[in-house]
Amino acid sequence: MSAPADRIVICSAQGGWEVRAPGSRGGGLRASTRAGALQWAWNITRDTGGRVLLHPGGTVLGGAVPHR
């Protein structure tokens, strides 16, 4: 069995929502809706036993202001 693959769902600075691996600095998968991003994250983590973390308040990591 592989190691758990956790994913973070955050508001994207480019609009929409991103799915990222913890600690990643580059852009991740981007979806137009939070529900779409959560579905991608759940699909990634389903078979590995990883967790899906919704960033508190849906804010962008690093403090940037998202375009809504």
Side-chain angles (χ1 to χ4, degrees), residues 49-68:
R51 297 173 298 160
V52 173
L53 308 168
L54 180 60
H55 194 267
T59 58
V60 175
L61 295 176
V65 177
H67 302 286
R68 296 185 187 230

Side-chain angles (χ1 to χ4, degrees), residues 14-25:
Q14 290 82 32
W17 293 81
E18 281 187 31
V19 177
R20 289 188 183 177
S24 70
R25 294 180 186 247

Side-chain angles (χ1 to χ4, degrees), residues 1-2 42-50:
M1 180 182 216
S2 61
W42 287 324
N43 287 341
I44 292 168
T45 62
R46 178 181 50 222
D47 297 328
T48 67

